[in-house]
Amino acid sequence: MDYPDVPYLVKLNSKTHLVKTTQKDPHSPLLVSVQDAIDLRDRTGLAIVAVGYTIYIGSEYEPEMMREAQQVILDAHRNGLLVVLWIYPRGSAVKDEKDPHLIAGAAGVAAALGADYVKVNAPKKEGEKSSMLLKEAVLAAGRTKVVCAGGSAIDEKKFLTELYDQIHTGGASGNATGRNIHQKDLAAAVRFTNAIFAITVEGAGVEEAWKIYTEGQDR
Amino acid sequence: MDYPDVPYLVKLNSKTHLVKTTQKDPHSPLLVSVQDAIDLRDRTGLAIVAVGYTIYIGSEYEPEMMREAQQVILDAHRNGLLVVLWIYPRGSAVKDEKDPHLIAGAAGVAAALGADYVKVNAPKKEGEKSSMLLKEAVLAAGRTKVVCAGGSAIDEKKFLTELYDQIHTGGASGNATGRNIHQKDLAAAVRFTNAIFAITVEGAGVEEAWKIYTEGQDR
Amino acid sequence: MDYPDVPYLVKLNSKTHLVKTTQKDPHSPLLVSVQDAIDLRDRTGLAIVAVGYTIYIGSEYEPEMMREAQQVILDAHRNGLLVVLWIYPRGSAVKDEKDPHLIAGAAGVAAALGADYVKVNAPKKEGEKSSMLLKEAVLAAGRTKVVCAGGSAIDEKKFLTELYDQIHTGGASGNATGRNIHQKDLAAAVRFTNAIFAITVEGAGVEEAWKIYTEGQDR
Amino acid sequence: MDYPDVPYLVKLNSKTHLVKTTQKDPHSPLLVSVQDAIDLRDRTGLAIVAVGYTIYIGSEYEPEMMREAQQVILDAHRNGLLVVLWIYPRGSAVKDEKDPHLIAGAAGVAAALGADYVKVNAPKKEGEKSSMLLKEAVLAAGRTKVVCAGGSAIDEKKFLTELYDQIHTGGASGNATGRNIHQKDLAAAVRFTNAIFAITVEGAGVEEAWKIYTEGQDR
Amino acid sequence: MDYPDVPYLVKLNSKTHLVKTTQKDPHSPLLVSVQDAIDLRDRTGLAIVAVGYTIYIGSEYEPEMMREAQQVILDAHRNGLLVVLWIYPRGSAVKDEKDPHLIAGAAGVAAALGADYVKVNAPKKEGEKSSMLLKEAVLAAGRTKVVCAGGSAIDEKKFLTELYDQIHTGGASGNATGRNIHQKDLAAAVRFTNAIFAITVEGAGVEEAWKIYTEGQDR
């Protein structure tokens, strides 16, 4: 409620990571419904424009999550909300969570379900460039836009370069950054967010974005 | 929405194949309801004329899928929609998924549930002709029409010959082709679709259909 | 729809026998509801007068089936429909499915649930006559009427004799015959049905019924 | 319907004992709802004044039964019906089903859920008198009244003595007798019921009750 | 009903501790709904101002409890009720239930779900002061207030000292005391409650509270 002008996405499911895949396959059912998100928007006036949901494909609970995701998409679209799916291959059946074909499969599932955006992990394969591998996922996603998970906190220059490559080589439509922003102090976080915005939305190159981050360029 | 004149079948359930039968028996619950399909038709004007659902008989989740399939058929028929069931014997209890008696049992289940069409795998038995074996399934299906799954991509002449035999020897009412069409380039895919149509709907022989495919006969 | 004058019983649950009890205890949930059966009757005008449901007592899924059976009985009786329960002891906890005490227990469950009829397997015990053993089940069934499953196809004279004994010694109210009728040609099936009818409903003896079957007596 | 003046308790759940605790923990879900019992009362005019439900605490299905029991109590009380809970510690986690502390715990659960009566097994401990041990359960039950299960059929004099002690030493409010009554012939069953009534409701001593039973005193 | 002026919190879920974590992970579903609590309030006029719910994070049933907790919070807040979550890390995946980071994680879950209060166990780590460790949980809880579980019955002076430290060092907003009060006689329980109130609400020090407890100061 402190930031009434910020557009919000309401994440509808979540879980702790205490129970590991070696013990039980991941399952993350709905905590709140699309209608709950709409009620929240209408009651508070917050700018809620999208909802999100995570599917772990390859989990023994995939059927439950796939069904909930599909229903979320139908409900959200009937109400004018965008949907972002987080899709991660995970479970005892999944040997390599970042296998490029599995990531592409995840993107294809999002397309089949009719998501607006799909957030996937950046694909990885020994000796290959991740942004090149991402192309397969972007093709599989069809009209669904692909964004890559920001991953663990890394060097900022490297981060911006990868982001640029994901967009300009891989065909991604942006990324989803968490720790690389919120583990910085406020001023640095704002500058880094501006740098990411410049690359993603304003067509900036890496050097330009780097300057925004390091020189605290006013915006 | 790009093809408003094409008659559509909405497949109501689906799954990835990441979790293998050796790990857990297959389960593919409804992702969308018959009502969701009707809503889609009414909202878009798309020519949705049928719905589909897969049952894995012999799976430990057979009861759940059998129940959903039965309810889908009741709902669809109350709303004037055709129903195609995909029925595959699969699970740790199933030793041979293409055993002719099991395929016939699958067809019989479709008849008992009241499906309009059942899609089965072509039966296989050492030293026997598949189209001959199919007769048992067609008999078991009663008034439900039988179509065979297209299977993996094969030589086109062989494909058309098998299709002809499935219809004229086995008593099938058509087939359900995927990879053999969509893994061709567009022009070849259109010609091959025309060839399949000629055999299935227009009573053409194999040679005539082959000519349609190879000579790009205009239609 | 071809036989609008035949009184029908709608069986509400069913399953394949692909998954064996050694793998998983039997479970056969409702495929259609009592209301679905009533809708069918009202829409078609078919003479639907009863519904049926199978419970596998001793299965790990007994609670689910017991509950559904009880609700089916309440719903059916509120709507003027008769209810036949098929009750078979089955599951890894059941050593002898035809133990006379277990069959009597099955009949007692049907009485406690308020079924109109219960279909049980004919009890069997080394050195005892099945029709004598059946008395215990008929007593346990109270006001619920007992019918025996017809079992595998056997010699017709033997069949009619057993039927006579089940009714006149065991106290059964009839039987439920499948394979012994539908695996005959139509003419023989009609004669055999007439013979069964004569014993069950008209008080005929075995020889009289046998004559009906063998001499094709007109009816 | 043959005994319209007898006040009835409708037992809402039940199960067979075919599946043993060594195979699977006990689970006994609702077969009929409180509303079903009320409908029965209103339709038939039977004097239905109470409902009953069994919880197996210590079973892996305790959460399901605890929840149903709680909802039964809320529904029954909203409709002016009394509730008796049968609570038995049972399951692979329970080493001694008649441990006095566990029996007291069972009584405490009934109190926490707001039951009017709780039926428990008489507590047992080597070298202790059961009616003395029962005091702990009666204290734990608070305002919920405690009745003991009648147990297996035993010598009548012993039965009446134990009943007297349960009430006058242990603080029980009565007992729940089955086999000790219904396995007698009708005349003896009536006399024995009268004897139990005399102790429980009329303040009779053991000898007086014994006389009622043995001398067939008219009532 | 004997204490109509006391503000009540209705605990919505609970369980026995008969089934241990070594046998099956803990699960404690809703016994009554928020609506049931509101009905109770409206029917009785009792001062019900809050509801409570326990989540065992790290249990295999975490998803079920997390979802119920979230829905409880939405329902309660729509109806003007406060919500206290009891959150305990527990299950075969949890090695140390009092690990300070896990306790902080529990507090963070409560914040994410929007609880008003979270009750956690006091964190413990070899060689560290619990009230210092608690700071991490209070930070993670954000706007959700933290109260510590009272734990097993201990020496009263020690209890009051720990409570003072939890509030003044750790940042807790109070505590949740059970056995340390209700296992005393009534007079001592009242004095001890007054002592706790003095520290928690009136800003008293340990010595002042101790005097209230030991000298039976009138209030």
Side-chain angles (χ1 to χ4, degrees):
Chain A
M1 293 301 295
D2 294 342
Y3 306 96
D5 300 329
V6 173
Y8 282 103
L9 173 153
V10 176
K11 185 77 192 312
L12 304 176
N13 67 339
S14 194
K15 59 187 274 298
T16 74
H17 296 313
L18 295 177
V19 176
K20 305 298 176 197
T21 297
T22 48
Q23 180 184 342
K24 188 192 168 205
D25 271 11
H27 185 202
S28 185
L30 279 174
L31 298 177
V32 295
S33 65
V34 171
Q35 190 56 50
D36 288 327
I38 292 169
D39 289 349
L40 179 65
R41 182 193 64 188
D42 293 347
R43 199 174 64 248
T44 61
L46 286 174
I48 296 172
V49 298
V51 292
Y53 186 92
T54 301
I55 306 174
Y56 297 104
I57 56 170
S59 163
E60 295 189 357
Y61 300 91
E62 177 195 297
E64 286 82 358
M65 290 180 279
M66 198 90 98
R67 171 158 53 183
E68 285 197 345
Q70 180 65 90
Q71 288 298 315
V72 159
I73 289 171
L74 292 179
D75 287 353
H77 286 176
R78 282 171 186 143
N79 286 283
L81 293 170
L82 292 168
V83 180
V84 180
L85 293 185
W86 279 235
I87 309 190
Y88 302 130
R90 189 164 299 162
S92 55
V94 176
K95 297 298 156 261
D96 175 8
E97 296 188 358
K98 298 192 173 168
D99 176 286
H101 297 321
L102 280 187
I103 300 291
V109 165
L113 296 174
D116 300 290
Y117 288 87
V118 61
K119 178 183 166 189
V120 295
N121 277 316
K124 283 202 170 32
K125 197 177 166 187
E126 189 63 32
E128 311 257 359
K129 206 163 144 30
S130 178
S131 56
M132 287 297 293
L133 296 167
L134 188 59
K135 286 175 156 182
E136 182 187 352
V138 171
L139 275 169
R143 295 175 182 182
T144 298
K145 295 197 176 85
V146 176
V147 295
C148 283
S152 48
I154 55 168
D155 172 84
E156 287 81 4
K157 188 74 174 275
K158 187 158 175 274
F159 182 97
L160 295 172
T161 308
E162 285 185 3
L163 172 60
Y164 183 89
D165 291 345
Q166 283 170 357
I167 293 171
H168 293 276
T169 304
S173 300
N175 79 343
T177 314
R179 282 163 287 182
N180 282 289
I181 292 173
H182 68 60
Q183 291 180 354
K184 291 185 165 56
D185 64 66
L186 185 59
V190 168
R191 292 196 317 269
F192 199 57
T193 303
N194 287 338
I196 290 170
F197 187 83
I199 290 176
T200 310
V201 179
E202 302 175 326
V206 173
E207 290 308 319
E208 186 183 346
W210 179 245
K211 214 165 139 184
I212 291 170
Y213 173 56
T214 53
E215 303 184 8
Q217 205 172 42
D218 215 27
R219 301 176 66 89
Chain B
M1 293 303 295
D2 294 341
Y3 307 96
D5 300 328
V6 174
Y8 282 103
L9 174 153
V10 176
K11 185 77 191 314
L12 303 176
N13 67 339
S14 194
K15 59 187 273 299
T16 74
H17 295 314
L18 294 178
V19 176
K20 305 298 177 198
T21 297
T22 48
Q23 179 184 342
K24 189 191 168 206
D25 270 12
H27 185 202
S28 184
L30 281 174
L31 298 178
V32 295
S33 65
V34 171
Q35 190 55 50
D36 288 328
I38 292 169
D39 289 349
L40 179 66
R41 183 194 64 188
D42 293 348
R43 201 175 63 248
T44 60
L46 286 174
I48 296 172
V49 298
V51 291
Y53 186 92
T54 300
I55 306 174
Y56 297 104
I57 56 169
S59 163
E60 295 189 358
Y61 300 91
E62 176 195 298
E64 285 82 359
M65 291 180 279
M66 197 90 99
R67 172 159 50 184
E68 285 196 345
Q70 179 65 91
Q71 289 298 315
V72 159
I73 289 171
L74 292 179
D75 287 353
H77 286 175
R78 282 172 186 141
N79 288 283
L81 293 171
L82 293 167
V83 179
V84 181
L85 293 185
W86 278 236
I87 309 191
Y88 302 131
R90 190 164 299 161
S92 55
V94 177
K95 297 298 156 258
D96 175 7
E97 296 188 358
K98 299 193 173 168
D99 176 287
H101 297 321
L102 280 187
I103 300 292
V109 165
L113 295 174
D116 299 291
Y117 288 86
V118 61
K119 178 182 166 189
V120 294
N121 277 315
K124 283 203 168 35
K125 197 177 166 188
E126 189 62 33
E128 310 257 358
K129 207 162 142 31
S130 179
S131 56
M132 286 297 293
L133 296 169
L134 188 60
K135 286 175 157 184
E136 182 187 353
V138 171
L139 275 169
R143 295 177 182 181
T144 298
K145 296 197 176 85
V146 175
V147 296
C148 283
S152 47
I154 55 169
D155 171 84
E156 287 81 4
K157 189 74 174 274
K158 187 156 175 275
F159 183 96
L160 295 173
T161 308
E162 285 186 2
L163 171 60
Y164 183 89
D165 290 345
Q166 283 170 357
I167 293 171
H168 292 276
T169 304
S173 299
N175 78 344
T177 313
R179 282 162 286 181
N180 282 290
I181 292 173
H182 68 60
Q183 292 180 353
K184 291 185 166 55
D185 65 64
L186 185 60
V190 168
R191 291 197 316 271
F192 199 56
T193 303
N194 286 338
I196 290 170
F197 186 82
I199 290 177
T200 309
V201 179
E202 302 175 325
V206 173
E207 289 308 322
E208 186 182 349
W210 179 245
K211 214 165 139 185
I212 292 169
Y213 173 56
T214 52
E215 303 185 9
Q217 205 171 43
D218 214 27
R219 302 177 64 89
Chain C
M1 293 302 295
D2 294 342
Y3 306 96
D5 301 328
V6 173
Y8 282 103
L9 174 152
V10 176
K11 185 75 192 314
L12 304 175
N13 68 338
S14 195
K15 59 188 274 299
T16 73
H17 295 314
L18 294 177
V19 176
K20 305 299 178 197
T21 298
T22 47
Q23 179 185 342
K24 189 190 168 207
D25 271 11
H27 186 202
S28 184
L30 280 174
L31 298 178
V32 294
S33 66
V34 171
Q35 191 56 50
D36 288 327
I38 292 170
D39 289 350
L40 180 65
R41 184 194 64 187
D42 293 348
R43 201 175 63 249
T44 60
L46 286 174
I48 296 172
V49 298
V51 293
Y53 186 92
T54 300
I55 307 174
Y56 297 104
I57 57 170
S59 163
E60 295 189 358
Y61 299 92
E62 176 195 297
E64 285 81 359
M65 290 180 278
M66 197 90 99
R67 172 159 51 184
E68 286 196 345
Q70 180 65 93
Q71 288 297 315
V72 159
I73 290 171
L74 292 179
D75 286 353
H77 286 177
R78 282 171 186 142
N79 287 284
L81 293 171
L82 292 168
V83 179
V84 181
L85 292 185
W86 278 235
I87 309 191
Y88 302 131
R90 191 164 298 160
S92 55
V94 177
K95 296 298 156 258
D96 175 7
E97 295 188 359
K98 298 193 174 168
D99 176 287
H101 298 320
L102 280 187
I103 300 292
V109 165
L113 296 174
D116 299 291
Y117 289 87
V118 62
K119 178 182 166 190
V120 295
N121 277 317
K124 282 201 169 37
K125 198 178 166 187
E126 188 63 33
E128 311 255 0
K129 205 161 146 30
S130 179
S131 56
M132 287 296 292
L133 296 168
L134 188 60
K135 286 175 157 182
E136 183 187 353
V138 171
L139 275 170
R143 296 176 181 181
T144 298
K145 296 196 176 87
V146 175
V147 296
C148 282
S152 48
I154 55 168
D155 171 83
E156 287 83 1
K157 188 73 173 275
K158 189 157 175 274
F159 182 96
L160 295 173
T161 308
E162 285 185 4
L163 172 59
Y164 183 89
D165 291 346
Q166 283 170 358
I167 292 172
H168 293 277
T169 304
S173 299
N175 79 343
T177 314
R179 282 162 288 182
N180 282 289
I181 292 173
H182 68 60
Q183 292 181 353
K184 292 184 163 55
D185 65 64
L186 185 60
V190 168
R191 292 197 317 269
F192 199 57
T193 303
N194 286 338
I196 291 169
F197 187 82
I199 290 177
T200 309
V201 179
E202 302 175 325
V206 174
E207 290 309 320
E208 187 182 346
W210 179 244
K211 215 165 139 183
I212 292 169
Y213 173 56
T214 51
E215 303 183 7
Q217 205 170 42
D218 215 27
R219 301 176 64 90
Chain D
M1 293 302 295
D2 294 341
Y3 307 96
D5 301 329
V6 174
Y8 282 103
L9 173 153
V10 176
K11 185 77 193 312
L12 304 175
N13 67 339
S14 195
K15 59 187 275 298
T16 73
H17 295 315
L18 294 177
V19 176
K20 306 299 178 197
T21 298
T22 47
Q23 179 184 342
K24 188 190 169 207
D25 271 11
H27 185 202
S28 184
L30 280 174
L31 298 178
V32 294
S33 66
V34 171
Q35 191 56 50
D36 288 327
I38 292 170
D39 289 349
L40 180 66
R41 184 193 64 187
D42 293 348
R43 201 173 63 248
T44 61
L46 286 174
I48 295 171
V49 299
V51 292
Y53 186 93
T54 300
I55 307 174
Y56 297 104
I57 56 170
S59 163
E60 294 189 357
Y61 299 91
E62 177 195 297
E64 285 82 358
M65 291 180 278
M66 198 90 99
R67 172 159 51 184
E68 285 197 345
Q70 180 64 91
Q71 288 298 314
V72 159
I73 289 171
L74 292 179
D75 286 352
H77 286 176
R78 281 170 186 143
N79 287 283
L81 294 171
L82 291 168
V83 180
V84 181
L85 292 185
W86 278 235
I87 309 191
Y88 302 131
R90 190 164 298 161
S92 55
V94 176
K95 297 297 156 260
D96 175 7
E97 295 188 358
K98 298 193 173 167
D99 177 286
H101 297 321
L102 280 187
I103 300 292
V109 165
L113 296 174
D116 301 291
Y117 288 87
V118 62
K119 178 182 165 189
V120 295
N121 277 316
K124 282 202 169 37
K125 197 178 165 187
E126 189 63 32
E128 310 257 359
K129 205 162 146 29
S130 179
S131 56
M132 287 297 293
L133 297 167
L134 188 60
K135 285 175 157 182
E136 183 187 353
V138 171
L139 275 169
R143 294 175 182 181
T144 298
K145 295 196 174 88
V146 175
V147 295
C148 283
S152 47
I154 56 167
D155 171 83
E156 288 81 3
K157 189 72 173 276
K158 188 157 174 274
F159 182 96
L160 295 173
T161 307
E162 285 185 2
L163 173 59
Y164 183 89
D165 291 346
Q166 283 171 357
I167 292 172
H168 292 278
T169 303
S173 299
N175 79 343
T177 314
R179 282 162 288 180
N180 282 288
I181 292 173
H182 69 60
Q183 292 181 353
K184 292 184 164 54
D185 64 63
L186 184 59
V190 168
R191 292 197 316 270
F192 199 56
T193 304
N194 286 338
I196 290 169
F197 187 82
I199 290 177
T200 309
V201 178
E202 302 175 326
V206 173
E207 289 309 319
E208 187 181 347
W210 179 244
K211 214 166 138 184
I212 291 169
Y213 173 56
T214 53
E215 303 184 8
Q217 207 172 38
D218 214 28
R219 301 176 64 89
Chain E
M1 293 302 295
D2 294 342
Y3 307 96
D5 301 329
V6 174
Y8 282 103
L9 173 153
V10 176
K11 185 76 192 313
L12 304 175
N13 66 340
S14 195
K15 60 187 273 298
T16 74
H17 295 314
L18 295 177
V19 176
K20 305 299 177 197
T21 297
T22 48
Q23 180 185 342
K24 188 192 168 205
D25 270 12
H27 185 202
S28 185
L30 280 175
L31 298 178
V32 294
S33 66
V34 171
Q35 191 56 49
D36 288 328
I38 292 169
D39 289 350
L40 180 66
R41 183 193 65 188
D42 292 348
R43 200 174 63 248
T44 61
L46 286 174
I48 296 171
V49 299
V51 292
Y53 187 92
T54 300
I55 307 174
Y56 297 104
I57 56 170
S59 162
E60 294 188 358
Y61 299 91
E62 177 195 297
E64 285 82 358
M65 291 180 278
M66 198 89 99
R67 173 160 49 184
E68 285 197 345
Q70 180 64 91
Q71 288 297 316
V72 159
I73 289 171
L74 292 179
D75 287 353
H77 285 175
R78 282 171 186 142
N79 287 283
L81 293 171
L82 292 168
V83 180
V84 181
L85 293 185
W86 278 236
I87 310 191
Y88 302 131
R90 190 163 300 162
S92 56
V94 176
K95 297 299 157 258
D96 176 7
E97 295 188 358
K98 298 193 173 166
D99 177 286
H101 298 319
L102 280 186
I103 300 292
V109 165
L113 296 174
D116 300 292
Y117 288 87
V118 62
K119 178 182 165 189
V120 295
N121 277 315
K124 282 201 170 35
K125 197 178 166 187
E126 190 63 32
E128 310 256 359
K129 205 163 146 28
S130 179
S131 56
M132 287 297 292
L133 297 167
L134 188 60
K135 286 175 157 182
E136 182 187 353
V138 170
L139 275 169
R143 295 176 182 182
T144 298
K145 295 196 175 87
V146 175
V147 296
C148 283
S152 48
I154 55 168
D155 172 84
E156 287 82 2
K157 189 73 174 274
K158 189 159 173 272
F159 182 98
L160 295 172
T161 308
E162 285 185 3
L163 172 60
Y164 183 89
D165 290 346
Q166 283 170 356
I167 293 171
H168 293 276
T169 304
S173 299
N175 78 343
T177 314
R179 283 162 287 182
N180 282 290
I181 292 173
H182 68 61
Q183 291 180 353
K184 291 184 164 55
D185 64 64
L186 185 60
V190 168
R191 291 197 316 268
F192 199 57
T193 303
N194 286 339
I196 290 169
F197 186 83
I199 290 176
T200 310
V201 180
E202 302 175 326
V206 173
E207 289 309 320
E208 187 182 347
W210 180 244
K211 214 164 139 185
I212 292 169
Y213 173 56
T214 52
E215 304 185 6
Q217 206 170 41
D218 216 28
R219 299 175 66 88

